[in-house]
Amino acid sequence: MRNDKNIYKPLRAKLTDVIEESPLIKTFVLVPEEEFAFRTGQFIELSVDGIGEAPFTPSSSPQVTDKLEVTVMKTGYMTEYMHNLKPGAYMGIRGPYGRGYPVEKFYDKEVLILGGGCGFAPIRSLLYNLIAVSDKLRKVTLCYGSKTPEDCIYKPYISVLRKTPKFEVLRSVDKASGNWNERVGVVTILLDDVKVDIKNSIAVVCGPPIMMKFGTRKLLEMGYPEHDVYLSMEKNMSCGLGKCGHCMMGKYFVCKDGPVFTYDEIKDQPNIWD
Ligand SMILES: Cc1cc2nc3c(=O)[nH]c(=O)nc-3n(C[C@H](O)[C@H](O)[C@H](O)COP(=O)(O)OP(=O)(O)OC[C@H]3O[C@@H](n4cnc5c(N)ncnc54)[C@H](O)[C@@H]3O)c2cc1C
Ligand code: FES
């Protein structure tokens, strides 16, 4: 286990595989030079020498400490450079940082998860964790939306989930093509199809800000209490340590106090969906 005194010094990790998930999203499989443990929902700062550093949430199982997977959407300078990396390259990992999902609070409950786009990355890590404790859960329903069938990520993992007792997967795309035979429309329409015992349930939302906003609104309309809706917030981040102030959201440092918050914790803070 890592016991590094210098919190700014990245841990070296070798890129051993790159999995193409969709035209814009790839999963990077990293083997750190020392064991690396994290809690599902926590994030890391990932660096490439001479290029930069950016925050990502591991998409792999928190039970695995000798390998780490990070699923990255190509959006700009650093992520574009990463998408061109080949196995054998080295990267740096700082962290893990922040507060992840309080999985113990989900015991004896149904878990309803709403995910969109690359927001599936932290959710996949959460799902690995929930499968490991599934004897303590009532049911897990994943509602996942993407723009098109080609943009749907983790297709092999979806097949595994669909065969896992207590787990159900509903998917939607904004625009169908080919032989897509699941729902068409924004991801929140899937909430009309779920059968959930809200009194004994919690909800988790992760995805682009617009989806988080309308997803949360719909969950509240369905009757979820504000303290039972868990949101994984993304703000611009730099240090990851509560020092630089880049990630401020009202009174909170998202890097330190989050990134996972319940809606009632943050609802009165300014610009939460920006
Ligand atoms: C806690 C946290 C976890 C994240 N987890 C993931 C993940 O698992 N997978 C993933 O693909 N992305 C994740 N992101 C977003 C990721 O950090 C940004 O996409 C990345 O920093 C963009 O870097 P770039 O140099 O390629 O883009 P830039 O050239 O810096 O910018 C390109 C675009 O991305 C936006 N952007 C830049 N930095 C961020 C940021 N920190 N958050 C949101 N948007 C940003 C810019 O506003 C701009 O529109 C996460 C962000 C946070 C804060
Ligand atoms: S990223 Fe520096 S204070 Fe949060």
Side-chain angles (χ1 to χ4, degrees):
M1 203 62 56
R2 193 163 193 223
N3 184 20
D4 200 335
K5 295 271 184 325
N6 183 350
I7 50 173
Y8 295 103
K9 190 177 168 207
L11 170 66
R12 251 164 69 95
K14 186 175 182 176
L15 181 63
T16 57
D17 201 5
V18 180
I19 301 159
E20 197 158 327
E21 306 283 1
S22 79
L24 282 180
I25 300 178
K26 287 184 179 178
T27 294
F28 297 81
V29 183
L30 293 158
V31 175
E33 288 185 341
E34 291 167 31
E35 271 191 274
F36 186 84
F38 68 93
R39 194 180 166 99
T40 184
Q42 284 190 303
F43 72 97
I44 59 166
E45 288 282 345
L46 195 60
S47 56
V48 181
D49 279 355
I51 299 299
E53 188 181 58
F56 300 99
T57 313
S59 56
S60 50
S61 167
Q63 269 91 25
V64 177
T65 55
D66 58 353
K67 201 178 78 171
L68 187 77
E69 292 183 19
V70 181
T71 301
V72 176
M73 182 186 277
K74 189 158 67 170
T75 53
Y77 183 67
M78 162 89 176
T79 49
E80 184 151 358
Y81 190 91
M82 282 180 70
H83 270 238
N84 291 322
L85 288 176
K86 301 276 179 282
Y90 279 87
M91 304 187 78
I93 299 173
R94 283 200 291 125
Y97 296 125
R99 186 174 64 155
Y101 293 106
V103 173
E104 297 76 18
K105 289 194 180 165
F106 303 173
Y107 290 176
D108 296 320
K109 303 212 162 157
E110 292 184 19
V111 180
L112 174 61
I113 303 173
L114 188 66
C118 206
F120 200 167
I123 285 174
R124 188 176 68 159
S125 172
L126 174 64
L127 287 164
Y128 279 122
N129 199 150
L130 296 180
I131 288 177
V133 298
S134 64
D135 56 325
K136 299 188 174 75
L137 304 170
R138 290 185 183 211
K139 187 171 116 181
V140 178
T141 306
L142 168 66
C143 297
Y144 171 63
S146 58
K147 284 188 179 139
T148 69
E150 293 71 42
D151 295 308
C152 281
I153 62 171
Y154 304 143
K155 291 186 181 89
Y157 190 64
I158 295 274
S159 307
V160 172
L161 276 179
R162 285 190 158 146
K163 291 186 199 120
T164 306
K166 293 193 188 179
F167 284 72
E168 187 186 14
V169 181
L170 306 176
R171 288 191 303 178
S172 71
V173 292
D174 296 348
K175 200 162 170 264
S177 61
N179 54 1
W180 180 258
N181 58 8
E182 298 176 53
R183 291 278 257 150
V184 180
V186 289
V187 64
T188 44
I189 60 163
L190 295 173
L191 294 174
D192 299 331
D193 301 341
V194 298
K195 290 181 184 58
V196 63
D197 173 15
I198 289 171
K199 279 205 195 67
N200 292 306
S201 164
I202 64 94
V204 171
V205 190
C206 189
I210 187 82
M211 189 224 98
M212 303 264 287
K213 179 178 176 179
F214 287 103
T216 301
R217 191 180 286 177
K218 189 146 179 179
L219 289 163
L220 298 175
E221 282 164 15
M222 285 165 69
Y224 276 93
E226 292 171 347
H227 59 264
D228 281 339
V229 177
Y230 290 84
L231 305 166
S232 187
M233 304 305 289
E234 272 191 22
K235 292 280 169 194
N236 280 322
M237 285 185 189
S238 183
C239 69
L241 293 159
K243 296 199 184 299
C244 72
H246 277 80
C247 66
M248 293 295 291
M249 183 177 63
K251 65 177 182 178
Y252 292 117
F253 291 100
V254 175
C255 67
K256 198 158 66 79
D257 302 317
V260 175
F261 294 94
T262 58
Y263 180 64
D264 72 320
E265 285 176 314
I266 57 166
K267 65 177 180 181
D268 297 325
Q269 305 308 309
N271 309 321
I272 60 172
W273 308 120
D274 292 348

